[in-house]
């Protein structure tokens, strides 16, 4: 038996023996790579979740400052000054949190737009204190600031590779949008009832905000977990939600130019004001 034949046979045996090992090694390498990818994805998702939480808290404080500013302007500066000052402190804390978390290069353009609005905040507050702005003018600035924050949250869904997690991010964004439009509807409705009548722009705005909430709710429900949707169901079945729906219909059913019926509902000796609803 020649040495060449033996070497060839030995090579074949070694090759046959090594084949499973090589295959196992390849599978292991792929598995390790997949694990690393999943780990990086989870780190990314965790960072985005933290950012979303901070932006949500920041937007909540901006919305509260918008409302407090409107009340201050509406009272001609005679009321709500201490409350407004305290709220500005909470808003500033939210701004610091967002700035500390918003260091992702993917949000560079959005951060720049947000910073441009924040750079105008001090002058906005000064003009509110001096009563140089009407209520709607003051509110419009804060609404723009909220829109920039919501845009950042919306973009998060596109940065997540996992479809299920991306769906949850989209649902969260829709819920924040629903909350913002509900706040705007409350302000617009309060203005209409305060004025005692609806003009064409006010009617269009109220109808649009109602339709926007329905659209945002549908997007939320499409990506929400069952228990999350159940929480929204419970809120919508509450007395406050039913009263809000009554006031919405009351305003939208009022003919243009006619006085809005009283927002107060009396049952026996009891009555509830629209200000108690969200």
């Amino acid at each position: 038996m020649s040495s060449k034949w033996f070497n060839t046979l030995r090579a074949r045996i070694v090759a046959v023996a090594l084949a499973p090992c090589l295959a196992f090694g390849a599978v292991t390498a792929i598995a390790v790579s997949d694990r690393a990818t999943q780990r990086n994805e989870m780190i990314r998702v965790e960072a985005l979740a933290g950012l979303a939480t901070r932006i949500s808290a920041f937007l909540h404080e901006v919305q509260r400052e918008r409302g407090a500013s409107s009340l201050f302007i509406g009272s001609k500066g005679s009321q709500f000054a201490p409350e407004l000052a305290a709220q500005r402190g909470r808003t500033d804390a939210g701004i610091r949190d967002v700035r500390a978390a918003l260091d992702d290069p993917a949000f560079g353009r959005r951060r720049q737009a947000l910073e441009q609005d924040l750079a105008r905040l001090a002058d906005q507050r000064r003009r509110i204190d001096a009563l140089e702005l009407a209520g709607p003018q003051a509110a419009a600035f804060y609404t723009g600031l909220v829109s920039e924050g919501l845009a950042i949250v919306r973009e998060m869904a596109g940065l997540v590779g996992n479809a299920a997690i991306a769906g949850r991010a989209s649902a969260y964004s829709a819920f924040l949008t629903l909350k913002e439009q509900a706040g705007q509807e409350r302000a617009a409705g309060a203005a209409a009832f305060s004025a005692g009548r609806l003009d064409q722009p006010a009617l269009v705005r109220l109808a649009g905000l109602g339709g926007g909430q329905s659209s945002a709710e549908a997007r939320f429900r499409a990506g929400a977990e069952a228990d999350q949707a159940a929480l929204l169901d419970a809120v919508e079945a509450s007395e406050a939600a039913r009263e809000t729906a009554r006031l919405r219909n009351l305003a939208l059913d009022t003919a243009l130019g006619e006085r809005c019926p009283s927002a107060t509902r009396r049952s026996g000796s009891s009555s509830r004001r629209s200000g108690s609803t969200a």
Side-chain angles (χ1 to χ4, degrees), residues 12-216:
R12 290 178 179 177
I13 293 173
V14 170
V16 170
L18 284 178
C21 296
L22 293 173
F24 177 77
V27 171
T28 301
I30 293 172
V32 170
S33 177
D34 287 346
R35 288 289 185 181
T37 300
Q38 292 174 3
R39 178 177 178 277
N40 291 337
E41 180 75 6
M42 290 303 101
I43 292 174
R44 175 73 158 157
V45 168
E46 184 177 6
L48 291 176
L51 175 58
T53 300
R54 286 173 171 82
I55 290 178
S56 176
F58 159 67
L59 294 181
H60 181 68
E61 300 305 340
V62 172
Q63 289 163 337
R64 293 181 66 182
E65 183 170 333
R66 178 177 59 192
S69 298
S70 296
L71 290 171
F72 176 79
I73 292 171
S75 72
K76 308 295 185 185
S78 63
Q79 300 180 53
F80 307 107
E83 292 84 354
L84 179 56
Q87 179 53 50
R88 286 173 176 175
R90 290 189 288 268
T91 302
D92 289 342
I95 292 172
R96 290 191 292 271
D97 283 346
V98 168
R99 280 176 167 157
L102 195 56
D103 57 358
D104 193 316
F107 299 114
R109 183 174 62 86
R110 287 296 181 189
R111 174 166 185 163
Q112 183 179 12
L114 182 64
E115 288 290 355
Q116 288 175 349
D117 280 351
L118 290 175
R120 298 163 47 210
L121 180 58
D123 184 62
Q124 170 79 4
R125 289 171 170 175
R126 180 194 64 77
R127 297 184 69 190
I128 289 172
D129 291 343
L131 299 177
E132 295 177 1
L133 297 174
Q137 289 177 301
F141 169 83
Y142 293 105
T143 298
L145 196 55
V146 170
S147 296
E148 289 296 342
L150 289 175
I152 295 174
V153 178
R154 281 196 300 271
E155 287 190 2
M156 289 182 182
L159 299 176
V160 179
N162 184 287
I165 297 176
R168 301 295 180 271
S170 180
Y172 185 67
S173 171
F175 186 81
L176 292 182
T177 300
L178 172 61
K179 177 176 180 287
E180 166 62 6
Q181 291 184 340
Q184 289 188 36
E185 183 189 39
R186 176 179 179 175
F193 283 114
S194 176
R197 63 184 70 249
L198 274 173
D199 57 16
Q200 182 71 28
L203 179 62
V204 170
R205 177 164 174 73
L206 277 175
L209 288 169
Q213 288 176 70
S214 297
S215 177

Side-chain angles (χ1 to χ4, degrees), residues 242-254:
R242 290 196 297 271
E243 177 69 355
T244 299
R246 184 188 75 85
L247 292 170
R248 178 186 299 121
N249 294 331
L250 194 66
L252 294 179
D253 289 344
T254 302

